[in-house]
Amino acid sequence: MGIFDMFKKKQQPQVQENELIQSIRHAIEIMEQADSESHEEIIEKIGQSTKDKRLAWELYCLIPSVYCRMIVKEVQYSNEMIMIFPDETQQKALLSNNLVYKVIQSVVADKFSGEIDNGKIQNILFQSSEFNAINNALNDGSALEDLMTGPLVVFAPEK
């Protein structure tokens, strides 16, 4: 193995991460503009840019969760995610071990460090099941700091 081979190998993960960052940014733009589209239509739009149906689905599920967790910090959130597949089997995972989730957190933190549009944030927050559950609990009289979420449950399109 020559020096150029070593250089190529070191660059590969960086290139993949840069592509993931671009996919996340593009998915956020699509979700910010979402108006009356169904979640299938939004995932389809994201998939057109990612060229990866599974990644598009994952971005659609995880981006609103990251937004919710970064904006509503007082709630105690579960680190667990449960994926339910069409054949009704389940797979448990930790969000802290999910590379896509970690990169989304980084991209969103960077986005929040600049100027942000409340309308665009709301478009994404309203796509979050966690945000909706928190909002319902607050409407029922719960105190924000007393709330805890269960695992993030997502319905996967395929295994």
Side-chain angles (χ1 to χ4, degrees), residues 22-37:
Q22 291 305 325
S23 293
I24 292 167
R25 286 183 179 150
H26 191 71
I28 288 171
E29 287 175 15
I30 290 168
M31 295 175 79
E32 286 175 339
Q33 303 303 320
D35 187 21
S36 60
E37 294 99 339

Side-chain angles (χ1 to χ4, degrees), residues 20 23-24 27 31 46 50 54-64 100 104:
L20 179 57
S23 293
I24 292 167
M31 295 175 79
I46 295 169
T50 64
R54 172 118 179 150
L55 177 60
W57 163 81
E58 198 169 4
L59 294 175
Y60 176 79
C61 291
L62 296 178
I63 289 170
V100 173
I104 292 170

Side-chain angles (χ1 to χ4, degrees), residues 39-40 43 52-62 81-93 98 152-159:
H39 68 273
E40 290 92 356
I43 293 169
D52 181 339
K53 184 179 178 180
R54 172 118 179 150
L55 177 60
W57 163 81
E58 198 169 4
L59 294 175
Y60 176 79
C61 291
L62 296 178
M81 177 171 72
I82 300 173
M83 289 178 279
I84 301 175
F85 297 97
D87 66 0
E88 298 185 20
T89 59
Q90 297 181 9
Q91 180 181 345
K92 292 182 181 181
N98 184 306
L152 178 63
V153 177
V154 294
F155 294 91
E158 58 194 35
K159 278 191 176 181

Side-chain angles (χ1 to χ4, degrees), residues 129-142 147:
S129 58
E130 290 173 317
F131 181 77
N132 290 330
I134 291 166
N135 196 34
N136 289 339
L138 292 174
N139 287 334
D140 288 342
S142 297
L147 298 178

